[in-house]
Structures are given as C-alpha cells and as structure tokens.
Amino acid sequence: MRKKLLLTLLLFSSLFLGIPTYAQEPEEEEIEFSIDWGDPTPDTPGNPKTPILMPHLWQNGYLLDFHGTHVDYLLRIVDTSNNVVYMVVVPSLQTQVWLPTTLSGTYRIELISGSLLFYGYITL
C-alpha cells in the first residue's frame, strides 16, 4: 500500500512539474547522411564498380542503431571545432553503439569505410 502510494505521488509530481519519468524514452530518429571522399587518393583509379549504399543509422538518445546489415565502419564524433571527441570501430556484425553520456550538444557524425566518408549531424 505504501509503495503504491509513493509511486502514485511520484507520477503525479512528475506530471505536475513537467519532469520526465523513467518510463519516457526519446524517440528514435534516422540520421541523414551526405557522402564525401575521405581519402582523395584511392588505391584503384576510376569510379567504384559497385553502387554506393548509404548507411541507415537511427539515434535514440545516446544509442545508435543500425537497422539491418552494414559494412565495417570507423565511427567518429566531431565537435564544432573539428576535434574528434569520440572514435570507435564498428564491425559489420555489431548493430548498436552507445555514445558516452559525457557528450552534450550538436556534433558531426562520420562513418568511414575505405575511401568513403558519410557524414551527418546529431544532437545529444
């Protein structure tokens, strides 16, 4: 009885004060990527022989989620001063990446595969 009353008071006070409760989660949002050549001198001359597939990556707070298969990527988080603040290799079998909760603000996210650079923007 006492526990139920405390939970009811907590829920009511969070609604009244506009404080999010633990049950509320941020919505998942797809990150839009642009493409650039990360390495201007590729190993082989000419255009790639296969089509370039854009990555499909969703953000849910500090969680990044690849929905489906992807190639191996080097993931970099870059601040507004062009400093790399986080970097990790994401193997093709890994579908989720947790970003450090110490990051806060707007960042450029880069996915690098070979000579291709995919970049977009995220807010944490």
Side-chain angles (χ1 to χ4, degrees):
M1 172 75 176
R2 177 180 273 175
K3 187 176 182 179
K4 186 176 181 181
L5 178 63
L6 288 173
L7 288 174
T8 304
L9 287 173
L10 177 64
L11 181 60
F12 177 73
S13 63
S14 68
L15 290 172
F16 181 74
L17 297 174
I19 301 170
T21 61
Y22 64 89
Q24 295 173 325
E25 295 183 17
E27 289 187 26
E28 192 173 56
E29 185 175 321
E30 186 171 9
I31 300 170
E32 293 185 30
F33 285 99
S34 298
I35 189 169
D36 199 356
W37 296 104
D39 182 1
T41 57
D43 294 336
T44 57
N47 295 326
K49 304 293 184 227
T50 59
I52 297 171
L53 298 176
M54 296 296 280
H56 293 284
L57 182 61
W58 280 259
Q59 177 189 2
N60 189 351
Y62 286 88
L63 176 65
L64 301 177
D65 194 356
F66 290 92
H67 287 213
T69 60
H70 63 88
V71 299
D72 295 343
Y73 287 116
L74 173 64
L75 182 144
R76 297 192 313 189
I77 303 296
V78 182
D79 66 12
T80 56
S81 301
N82 283 333
N83 297 317
V84 176
V85 295
Y86 182 72
M87 182 170 43
V88 66
V89 173
V90 183
S92 61
L93 296 177
Q94 183 175 343
T95 60
Q96 295 183 330
V97 176
W98 282 98
L99 298 178
T101 57
T102 54
L103 298 176
S104 178
T106 300
Y107 296 93
R108 186 174 71 235
I109 181 170
E110 299 177 348
L111 295 174
I112 302 168
S113 177
S115 62
L116 295 175
L117 167 68
F118 302 98
Y119 65 93
Y121 295 91
I122 60 172
T123 301
L124 300 170

